[in-house]
Amino acid sequence: MDQDTAQVLFEEGAILVLLDMPEGSEFGIDFNSWNVGPNFRGMKMIPPGLHFVYYSAVNREKEAGLRSGFFHNFRKQEIMVKKWDSFLEDIKPDVASPEEVSRFEENKKEMDRFLAPYPYESYKKWVSLTKHITADIAATLQPECGTITSVAQFVSEPSTSQSRKREAETEAMEAERSQPTTPDRHHQPCMEDRLPKMKTVRGTKIRYSKIPKQKYPDGASPAEVTKFSIDSSFQLDRMLQSRYSDNPAGILAEVQFAFICFLVGQNYDSFEHWKWLVHILCTSDSALVALPSLFVDFIGVLHFQIREIPQDFFVDIVSQNNFLTGTLHEFFSNLDSQEVDSKLRSRGLKFRQHLTEKFQWDFTSDPDEDAPVVVECAE
């Protein structure tokens, strides 16, 4: 970072004060993480805007636990004060009082040596991967509790005498209906039936858009049922109307939000949601004509996301069952078969060429089971 940029960030950047975090704990922001030392008190020179802060406690063997994090839109010169709860092994949800914040503002220079500088060299990459996520959209998607965890939090449903009685009666009726003609002396109740019923802790789920189960309009003709069973444009339109009617690019923000929550937040449910969104967008044939600017931006989103996926991770997970390659093959086929906007077609052709050169994928052939073939590299 040059001296001028450093000076601007020192004066205009935000500060995150994080007190009492145990030595050795993991702390990260955006694409950078560290194990904190004994003098760590937070981070300075954070560029104003949206960032993802994450952390995890470590055990006695210095092994990191589950990762938690939150999105926050830092204002210019903002000072956020957080404290670590050693009992919960988490950041306290309490908001610092105005008096506490004022005290840190007054002692800003004295605190400086305890604050790590934001790694500005990776900021451009962060911006490219979160371009469409506004503060409002992040607040809408983030769980009500404000924290995104790598593993879903569950709690057993309460059991009462009446509920247990109803369950016993239901089990007895089901057992009677399924009773074989010849009694089976070896029949044992399924252990899963005896396990406590679990549900997600209220307020901890990421509030993603629901994927519409209905693929075609009410009263659709047989031809329309066939069309929309292949073309996801109806599903995409319902998602846009339900949440992003005023801003269709909001669906791209959700694609980026899910990607960050999985890649950085290690939340696997977000990976599943990201796959659903990518599939719907890639297979929305009619929408290519109706919303060309949306798909121009979508190609840009995928370009930066694919570029940041680690190679071993890409091979082991993203390529599993040919999800991404097969889905992109459909997308490029739709671009070829539709009278789409010239800018969109040009951007799509360049993106296809880039993927072919980087990963040796051939999207021009007609492979078995609609999956692209892999071009053998020349020796």
Side-chain angles (χ1 to χ4, degrees):
M1 183 190 312
D2 61 79
Q3 192 62 34
D4 291 339
T5 302
Q7 185 63 32
V8 170
L9 285 177
F10 180 78
E11 295 176 356
E12 305 292 337
I15 292 176
L16 170 62
V17 178
L18 184 52
L19 303 175
D20 304 326
M21 195 166 195
E23 183 178 354
S25 301
E26 180 194 35
F27 169 80
I29 185 168
D30 303 341
F31 288 106
N32 305 273
S33 64
W34 308 265
N35 291 107
V36 304
N39 296 323
F40 176 79
R41 299 292 185 275
M43 177 158 285
K44 61 183 177 180
M45 302 167 64
I46 301 172
L50 189 72
H51 296 274
F52 185 63
V53 178
Y54 52 99
Y55 49 88
S56 59
V58 292
N59 58 23
R60 294 179 180 178
E61 288 73 34
K62 303 299 181 183
E63 297 172 334
L66 299 177
R67 180 172 288 183
S68 300
F70 58 90
F71 282 90
H72 182 74
N73 189 53
F74 285 93
R75 302 184 307 276
K76 185 172 67 174
Q77 298 181 331
E78 176 182 1
I79 296 180
M80 171 186 274
V81 180
K82 293 286 187 179
K83 296 181 181 179
W84 184 262
D85 188 318
S86 57
F87 178 75
L88 296 177
E89 294 189 331
D90 201 348
I91 291 177
K92 292 181 179 180
D94 308 356
V95 177
S97 66
E99 292 76 16
E100 287 181 291
V101 175
S102 296
R103 189 164 63 249
F104 283 108
E105 287 178 343
E106 294 171 0
N107 298 299
K108 187 175 178 180
K109 289 187 177 180
E110 287 74 13
M111 281 288 296
D112 185 68
R113 65 191 180 94
F114 299 105
L115 302 174
Y118 179 89
Y120 190 73
E121 60 274 6
S122 63
Y123 181 59
K124 185 177 180 180
K125 177 173 70 173
W126 172 253
V127 171
S128 69
L129 287 164
T130 57
K131 174 182 177 182
H132 297 281
I133 310 177
T134 64
D136 289 340
I137 290 178
T140 301
L141 294 172
Q142 194 154 248
E144 292 177 7
C145 68
T147 303
I148 296 167
T149 56
S150 57
V151 177
Q153 302 177 51
F154 294 99
V155 63
S156 60
E157 293 184 348
S159 177
T160 64
S161 58
Q162 289 184 342
S163 65
R164 287 192 296 270
K165 181 179 179 181
R166 286 195 298 269
E167 289 175 3
E169 291 174 349
T170 301
E171 289 179 3
M173 294 174 61
E174 291 177 352
E176 185 176 348
R177 285 197 298 267
S178 60
Q179 186 69 28
T181 306
T182 304
D184 183 358
R185 290 177 298 176
H186 301 289
H187 175 73
Q188 295 290 336
C190 178
M191 288 301 296
E192 293 183 1
D193 296 337
R194 303 301 180 187
L195 294 175
K197 291 180 171 61
M198 307 294 288
K199 64 178 181 180
T200 307
V201 175
R202 186 175 182 178
T204 62
K205 288 188 67 175
I206 302 175
R207 294 173 287 180
Y208 288 128
S209 298
K210 292 184 178 179
I211 305 297
K213 294 182 179 179
Q214 185 174 335
K215 295 186 175 182
Y216 44 82
D218 293 331
S221 65
E224 289 175 324
V225 171
T226 301
K227 168 183 168 57
F228 288 113
S229 293
I230 301 172
D231 181 354
S232 300
S233 296
F234 177 75
Q235 286 178 296
L236 176 61
D237 182 67
R238 288 190 64 183
M239 293 181 71
L240 294 177
Q241 292 302 320
S242 66
R243 201 166 199 172
Y244 303 115
S245 58
D246 296 331
N247 177 28
I251 196 71
L252 302 182
E254 195 163 329
V255 172
Q256 292 185 323
F257 190 95
F259 185 80
I260 295 297
C261 286
F262 173 60
L263 192 65
V264 183
Q266 300 178 351
N267 180 280
Y268 189 79
D269 289 342
S270 294
F271 176 56
E272 292 298 317
H273 190 71
W274 176 78
K275 288 201 301 183
W276 268 111
L277 293 179
V278 170
H279 173 76
I280 286 176
L281 284 161
C282 283
T283 56
S284 290
D285 199 345
S286 302
L288 288 172
V289 178
L291 299 167
S293 61
L294 175 70
F295 286 93
V296 168
D297 290 340
F298 173 58
I299 290 172
V301 168
L302 282 183
H303 170 76
F304 287 113
Q305 288 183 344
I306 292 175
R307 191 171 69 175
E308 296 305 325
I309 297 175
Q311 186 65 30
D312 55 345
F313 172 89
F314 184 87
V315 171
D316 293 342
I317 298 180
V318 180
S319 294
Q320 185 177 356
N321 299 323
N322 262 339
F323 158 72
L324 190 56
T325 51
T327 302
L328 285 173
H329 183 269
E330 291 188 59
F331 179 63
F332 294 133
S333 295
N334 290 336
L335 280 177
D336 286 337
S337 62
Q338 292 291 312
E339 293 296 326
V340 299
D341 177 78
S342 58
K343 181 180 179 181
L344 173 57
R345 184 180 298 280
S346 175
R347 184 68 61 87
L349 290 174
K350 289 180 180 177
F351 184 46
R352 182 171 65 184
Q353 182 64 27
H354 167 72
L355 294 177
T356 300
E357 293 175 355
K358 183 173 182 178
F359 299 109
Q360 290 77 54
W361 294 338
D362 180 8
F363 295 102
T364 60
S365 301
D366 188 15
D368 296 335
E369 299 180 357
D370 295 323
V373 297
V374 177
V375 178
E376 294 295 333
C377 298
E379 293 293 329

